Amino acid sequence: MIWTLVPQAQNTFISNTENRTFTNLNGKWNYVLDPYMTGGMGGRAIMDNYEPTDKTGRVEYGFTPDRTLYVPGGWNTQKPELAYFEAAIWYRKTFDKPDFDASKRYFVYIGAANQTATVTFNGKELGKHEGGYTPFSFEVTDLIKKQDNFLIIGVNNQRDASDIPAKVHDWYNHGGITRDVRLIEVPKNFINNYFLSLDRESLNKKTKTIKGKLELAGNSLPENAQILIPELQIEQNIAVKPKGATAFEVTVKNLKLWSPDSPKLYDIIIKAGDDEIRDQIGFRTVETKGKEILLNGEPIFLKGICLHDENPLRKDRGNSIEDAQLLLGWAQELGCNFIRLAHYPHQEKLVRLADKLGILLWEELPLYWGIQWENPEVLKKAKEQYTELIYRDYNRASSIVWSIANETAPIPSRNEFLSEMADHVRSLDPTRLISAAIKKDQELDGHPDSVYTYNDPLIEKLDILSINEYLGWYGGLPDQCRTKSFTSGFEKPIIISEFGGGALQGFHGDKLTRWSEEFQAYLYEESIAMFDKIDGMVGMTPWILVDFMSPLRQLPGVQDGWNRKGLISEKGVKKKAFYVLKDYYSKK
Ligand code: GCB
């Protein structure tokens, strides 16, 4: 990109934008390709939105009305020629704001843009954001006009070794503005964010305590704010600290706890000066005790499944409530009370729907294969992106696990990096559990050991030991599961965070025929029997609910660009193994 040293995006309005006053900027946007990522040739940057005024004018790019991309959406599946495009595309949205109000502040909010976004407004560069799966915003109060505003955003989805994720990952690199874009309007002093959670210490008391933190922004903050929970007759004053966040507590009687069986949400209203925000929030606690996970003080077994945030029928990232309903509906049919949102933050609408449906969630960042552990810039980016995720989802009762990495080999630089990540995440959110998907000590594919051991030093920093294990698919055949057992040496609960194998829906054979539904079902039977015997195994999230797009998977006639480890095909048809897992969960 041509611009460097630009301001970073702001952690403002990255949650609950649905309940703010906003102008919807979704829809058709003009676009222009920038394959070499120059930002515009010939002395004029694309962000200037310059159009020649007479016949001598020269410009070597252009936005034309007939060239549009839909926002939100990945660009790859919108135009055949963009299927494997990995470079920059500039998007332009022009709009009027006739009701512009000089007494207000305005922010451009972007739900997600994969991977790097350079945001410009009315010819001024506002800044950049890195990370394709978390929300960000920029203030435009001083730039907005009643007419002819132009928002031009350059999005670059080129993969780079210093990115998160790094160069190679087993999912499709949907590029573009993949989630909602909104122009948010707030008073001069406003509620930036709020964080509410049930205090564990009060779980067994009749009168419970909700711990809160309130962040206001502006030059003359009100001295007092209020929190209201009408159903509990709560109307409480909060004395606002003049600087920094304000911590407060609310004591409540007769609080109904949130759980998968009873996903009770309360209407919450927060008022501060001229600003007011509403939300629906559930209250529960989660902790570990020995080898158990306790939800509201009671042991729980996590009947889970892994998920990518992709609607296979539309071949796009999930970006609507309908996409979320489709995916969570399938998980409910399977009998799940838990989902691992792999391998990056999924859309906020899905997390909010999980709150309503009572589905517990594991969330993560793409700290995945090939990360540059020794690069301090990468650590900085990882911390920023995790902050954005926690700021977005802190108030969601469904979200109970922050995972900090997937399948990363224990070397000193990685151990240090992830140990710092664990501390960072805990410092922002001590109310949830921390985990990471770990592999066994050696690369044991085909290894004769009958006992798999887990001594990764990172486990020390985690609340849950989570294990990815593909015995029977990568190495060995499913019957080998009968010969193995597991030991960890840690008094911690264990989740089997991945296992599975591929099957082409509709392809049948005997149980040893690779890619047949029978092979996959057999693998599930043997794997489940093996894992079920592990002492302290309190949940599993097999890999994966639905077949997903992956350029790594190119076996003709079988994969054709899809990872086939789904229990459901990309057309929505269930495979045999779906019913094996469903049966196990129905008896658990
Ligand atoms: C894994 C990865 C996941 C892959 C999966 C597979 O271990 O965590 O991202 O897609 O295996 O299908 O091989």
Side-chain angles (χ1 to χ4, degrees):
M1 289 276 180
I2 50 170
W3 299 296
T4 50
L5 295 174
V6 294
Q8 292 294 313
Q10 297 148 345
N11 284 330
T12 300
F13 302 118
I14 55 182
S15 172
N16 195 16
T17 52
E18 236 35 93
N19 288 329
R20 305 267 183 184
T21 304
F22 68 84
T23 307
N24 183 358
L25 297 179
N26 292 341
K28 285 183 175 173
W29 288 50
N30 302 116
Y31 76 97
V32 57
L33 300 189
D34 186 7
Y36 294 167
M37 296 171 286
T38 62
M41 286 288 290
R44 285 213 179 257
I46 292 177
M47 71 175 198
D48 290 344
N49 201 29
Y50 168 77
E51 282 175 24
T53 46
D54 64 37
K55 65 183 180 185
T56 65
R58 179 174 71 84
V59 70
E60 302 194 40
Y61 60 81
F63 291 104
T64 53
D66 58 329
R67 282 204 155 201
T68 57
L69 281 170
Y70 196 81
V71 171
W75 60 54
N76 312 69
T77 48
Q78 295 194 43
K79 313 267 170 193
E81 67 275 21
L82 297 180
Y84 286 104
F85 185 81
E86 292 195 334
I89 290 186
W90 292 85
Y91 287 75
R92 184 187 70 181
K93 184 84 178 169
T94 50
F95 62 94
D96 295 336
K97 184 68 188 153
D99 56 349
F100 161 75
D101 178 347
S103 72
K104 296 278 163 67
R105 291 173 71 175
Y106 293 87
F107 290 77
V108 169
Y109 158 88
I110 296 152
N114 188 33
Q115 163 85 21
T116 307
T118 303
V119 183
T120 79
F121 188 66
N122 289 347
K124 181 164 190 279
E125 187 188 349
L126 303 175
K128 244 184 182 23
H129 179 263
E130 252 194 85
Y133 305 93
T134 44
F136 55 97
S137 69
F138 288 102
E139 182 156 15
V140 294
T141 308
D142 297 337
L143 299 167
I144 195 160
K145 304 176 290 183
K146 289 203 167 185
Q147 274 177 328
D148 301 327
N149 294 290
F150 53 95
L151 175 61
I152 297 183
I153 304 179
V155 185
N156 175 5
N157 74 334
Q158 204 174 43
R159 287 165 296 112
D160 190 85
S162 64
D163 283 347
I164 305 168
K167 276 213 138 161
V168 180
H169 49 78
D170 191 16
W171 65 87
Y172 196 80
N173 187 19
H174 296 278
I177 305 177
T178 52
R179 294 185 188 146
D180 297 319
V181 182
R182 293 170 172 168
L183 178 74
I184 313 261
E185 179 184 305
V186 281
K188 286 279 182 241
N189 301 291
F190 60 89
I191 300 161
N192 185 35
N193 211 344
Y194 47 93
F195 305 83
L196 299 177
S197 62
L198 177 61
D199 181 13
R200 259 181 225 144
E201 303 299 313
S202 71
L203 181 66
N204 295 319
K205 299 188 181 146
K206 262 201 141 163
T207 304
K208 307 212 187 319
T209 307
I210 295 172
K211 286 194 164 179
K213 202 172 85 176
L214 183 62
E215 276 187 16
L216 303 184
N219 287 333
S220 79
L221 300 184
E223 283 175 11
N224 290 296
Q226 287 83 41
I227 177 163
L228 289 79
I229 313 178
E231 200 181 326
L232 296 170
Q233 284 91 45
I234 301 280
E235 225 182 295
Q236 188 176 311
N237 201 54
I238 302 167
V240 172
K241 283 211 316 207
K243 277 213 165 76
T246 301
F248 61 93
E249 287 189 357
V250 184
T251 48
V252 286
K253 286 200 181 100
N254 303 322
L255 182 76
K256 288 193 193 110
L257 299 179
W258 183 100
S259 72
D261 292 336
S262 164
K264 170 72 192 158
L265 299 176
Y266 285 96
D267 286 328
I268 307 276
I269 304 162
I270 298 178
K271 295 182 181 177
D274 298 333
D275 204 9
E276 173 177 319
I277 179 98
R278 284 160 190 266
D279 205 344
Q280 289 197 304
I281 298 183
F283 298 97
R284 51 98 193 102
T285 62
V286 63
E287 64 201 301
T288 64
K289 189 170 148 220
K291 293 187 171 185
E292 289 178 329
I293 293 179
L294 308 183
L295 186 79
N296 298 331
E298 299 291 327
I300 184 162
F301 185 80
L302 300 170
K303 306 177 194 180
I305 192 72
C306 284
L307 184 70
H308 267 294
D309 195 9
E310 186 177 76
N311 179 340
L313 308 175
R314 294 196 305 108
K315 299 192 181 64
D316 195 5
R317 282 262 163 274
N319 57 33
S320 63
I321 188 69
E322 290 77 17
D323 291 338
Q325 279 161 344
L326 177 77
L327 299 172
L328 297 193
W330 279 332
Q332 282 188 313
E333 274 186 66
L334 188 58
C336 292
N337 61 11
F338 183 53
I339 303 182
R340 175 180 175 200
L341 303 183
H343 277 302
Y344 42 77
H346 289 214
Q347 60 157 334
E348 186 184 348
K349 292 185 181 94
L350 184 138
V351 181
R352 286 180 168 268
L353 183 61
D355 257 19
K356 290 197 176 126
L357 299 179
I359 300 177
L360 297 160
L361 300 176
W362 152 316
E363 300 200 63
E364 67 190 59
L365 274 204
L367 286 165
Y368 188 85
W369 311 338
I371 294 292
Q372 287 183 347
W373 304 118
E374 61 298 333
N375 183 342
E377 279 303 305
V378 178
L379 178 61
K380 190 167 157 264
K381 286 193 261 189
K383 286 184 178 173
E384 274 166 15
Q385 288 172 34
Y386 230 119
T387 305
E388 288 165 347
L389 175 58
I390 293 173
Y391 264 52
R392 196 192 72 174
D393 289 349
Y394 186 93
N395 294 314
R396 305 284 71 83
S398 54
S399 178
I400 56 166
V401 178
W402 298 128
S403 173
I404 54 170
N406 179 72
E407 293 188 352
T408 57
I411 52 170
S413 55
R414 168 275 202 180
N415 299 345
E416 245 171 69
F417 183 115
L418 290 181
S419 164
E420 249 194 90
M421 277 309 286
D423 292 342
H424 174 72
V425 169
R426 237 182 223 113
S427 72
L428 291 174
D429 183 2
T431 71
R432 289 180 171 79
L433 305 178
I434 295 191
S435 195
I438 303 276
K439 282 182 97 173
K440 55 188 172 273
D441 276 1
Q442 301 156 36
E443 197 35 81
L444 290 176
D445 285 355
H447 194 280
D449 278 4
S450 59
V451 181
Y452 288 171
T453 51
Y454 294 85
N455 290 318
D456 187 328
L458 181 63
I459 302 170
E460 200 69 61
K461 296 287 272 193
L462 308 175
D463 298 306
I464 307 165
L465 164 58
S466 298
I467 296 172
N468 286 6
E469 175 50 56
Y470 280 90
L471 179 66
W473 182 257
Y474 296 127
L477 287 171
D479 63 349
Q480 284 202 7
C481 292
R482 298 180 179 210
T483 64
K484 308 291 176 191
S485 60
F486 293 73
T487 172
S488 82
F490 290 89
E491 186 66 10
K492 298 191 184 212
I494 295 176
I495 290 179
I496 307 301
S497 39
E498 284 182 36
F499 73 87
L504 179 66
Q505 182 274 316
F507 174 60
H508 296 284
D510 63 21
K511 64 182 189 182
L512 289 178
T513 304
R514 216 33 95 154
W515 305 111
S516 70
E517 288 195 36
E518 287 70 18
F519 186 110
Q520 191 191 36
Y522 174 45
L523 174 71
Y524 265 68
E525 280 160 11
E526 294 293 339
S527 305
I528 289 171
M530 169 176 70
F531 295 129
D532 200 43
K533 289 197 259 228
I534 301 176
D535 175 36
M537 197 278 290
V538 296
M540 56 170 72
T541 54
W543 190 256
I544 183 171
L545 184 64
V546 199
D547 288 354
F548 59 96
M549 297 166 75
S550 173
L552 293 188
R553 310 293 176 169
Q554 295 295 349
L555 183 64
V558 176
Q559 294 177 311
D560 299 312
W562 292 84
N563 185 313
R564 293 288 180 205
K565 295 191 190 71
L567 296 176
I568 300 178
S569 78
E570 84 281 19
K571 297 203 169 61
V573 183
K574 295 173 185 96
K575 306 179 193 174
K576 284 193 158 175
F578 180 95
Y579 298 100
V580 175
L581 186 61
K582 186 179 161 87
D583 183 55
Y584 173 66
Y585 284 162
S586 71
K587 293 179 182 140
K588 242 350 212 186

